[in-house]
Amino acid sequence: MSRAEQSVRQVRAVRLGPRSVAALVLVSLVGVVGFGWPLLADSASGLAHSQDAPWLFAALLPLLLAVATATVADTGLDAKAVAMLGVLAAAGAALRPLGAGTAGLEPMFFLMVLAGRVLGPGFGFVLASLSMFAGALLTGGVGPWLPFQMLSMGWVSMGAGLLPGPDRLRGRRELLLLAGYGAAASLLYGLVMNLQGWPYIAGLGSGISFVPGDPLHENLTRYLAYVLATSLGWDVPRAVLTVVLTLTLGGTVLRALRRATRRAAFDAEAAFLPAVPPAADGAADGVRGAEESSPSTGHHPRTS
């Protein structure tokens, strides 16, 4: 492989193997159930995501650990990958206070999309979830919504890692692909996260309130009306900011991430060379000494 090919080759710190795929599918299924079960519950179930959030959080943490552990079994997650995970999670958490609670402007979305693209879906899912958790600690945003935010952000970064052409698409076309995905993911993030808070308004008597036990299609109609009325003012600015940051800073960040992963050589295989026996060392020294002391036809400096 030429140097030019190596410079654009994508190196993924956490590649997807069979165990990693199984762990990601399991954690995603748990997330889907956590978000969607109120839609299928009856009117006597006493709905409130604030009651099931601790259970979801308790299930989410070991499942995140399972994703990383499965990756160790599949590909060998070493100390360098763990170090990069920590550095990027800290960077994502540091971006969280810059936009949390301000018209939906959240710059960490752009970093999670780019990190998922460069480092792969498994790494991206764990990274985004941990970044959201650390950011919540910094901003005081710990509450029943936190496990749902961790899952949703994990899906955003994982989706970026599953985009086509990771080893071939470069330059402006890649930035346009990531910007389009970032915009769609920002809108879908708000759509999914609203399922966490929407059951709270049950019983308020408005036309967009959740009604436990009603047919699924009727509740979904109210839900879409709720999103249009309350959420787009946050989701659209988030999408616009993600697109702007991706198109302006995305190329630089992508090159930095790829350079870091290439130099770290996460996927390099260890090679152990056989040691030279002491006898062989001595024989080699003797041969070199004989060559130096024996006459030859080569040119030598004149001696007096």
Side-chain angles (χ1 to χ4, degrees):
M1 181 178 295
S2 66
R3 185 181 298 273
E5 289 173 337
Q6 289 178 350
S7 65
V8 299
R9 182 172 62 90
Q10 180 173 359
V11 181
R12 289 183 174 174
V14 180
R15 298 186 301 274
L16 284 182
R19 298 178 183 87
S20 305
V21 170
L24 284 173
V25 169
L26 179 59
V27 70
S28 296
L29 288 176
V30 170
V32 169
V33 173
F35 274 106
W37 73 267
L39 296 175
L40 304 177
D42 58 36
S43 58
S45 58
L47 294 177
H49 270 316
S50 59
Q51 297 177 5
D52 65 353
W55 299 102
L56 180 60
F57 188 74
L60 179 60
L61 291 182
L63 286 174
L64 289 177
L65 180 61
V67 174
T69 304
T71 312
V72 171
D74 285 334
T75 59
L77 182 64
D78 60 7
K80 292 179 290 186
V82 174
M84 177 165 281
L85 179 65
V87 170
L88 291 177
L95 290 176
R96 178 72 173 162
L98 299 181
T102 307
L105 300 177
E106 299 181 74
M108 72 176 298
F109 268 75
F110 127 88
L111 178 60
M112 295 300 106
V113 168
L114 298 186
R117 171 68 170 177
V118 173
L119 299 168
F123 191 102
F125 187 91
V126 177
L127 168 64
S129 299
L130 291 179
S131 298
M132 186 61 75
F133 176 74
L137 296 180
L138 288 177
T139 59
V142 178
W145 52 84
L146 178 56
F148 298 94
Q149 288 178 329
M150 292 171 64
L151 280 166
S152 300
M153 186 62 77
W155 287 331
V156 167
S157 191
M158 182 178 70
L162 295 174
L163 291 175
D167 300 316
R168 301 180 303 276
L169 194 62
R170 289 292 187 274
R172 193 67 177 176
R173 290 189 304 163
E174 184 179 33
L175 290 181
L176 290 174
L177 172 66
L178 293 176
Y181 171 79
S186 298
L187 295 174
L188 289 174
Y189 175 87
L191 181 68
V192 172
M193 274 302 301
N194 280 317
L195 281 174
Q196 180 270 327
W198 184 48
Y200 290 150
I201 67 171
L204 296 183
S206 67
I208 59 176
S209 297
F210 174 68
V211 180
D214 265 18
L216 178 61
H217 68 278
E218 293 183 10
N219 269 326
L220 287 178
T221 300
R222 296 189 190 98
Y223 177 63
L224 291 178
Y226 171 79
V227 171
L228 292 174
T230 64
S231 180
L232 285 185
W234 295 78
D235 300 337
V236 172
R238 182 192 302 120
V240 171
L241 179 63
T242 302
V243 170
V244 171
L245 291 178
T246 301
L247 294 179
T248 56
L249 303 177
T252 302
V253 175
L254 285 173
R255 286 191 295 272
L257 289 173
R258 284 174 173 141
R259 186 182 305 115
T261 54
R262 187 169 60 251
R263 290 182 176 179
F266 293 113
D267 59 351
E269 296 181 359
F272 299 94
L273 299 178
V276 178
D281 286 342
D285 292 340
V287 171
R288 285 195 296 271
E291 291 176 348
E292 293 172 357
S293 61
S294 63
S296 66
T297 58
H299 297 285
H300 296 277
R302 183 183 301 274
T303 58
S304 57

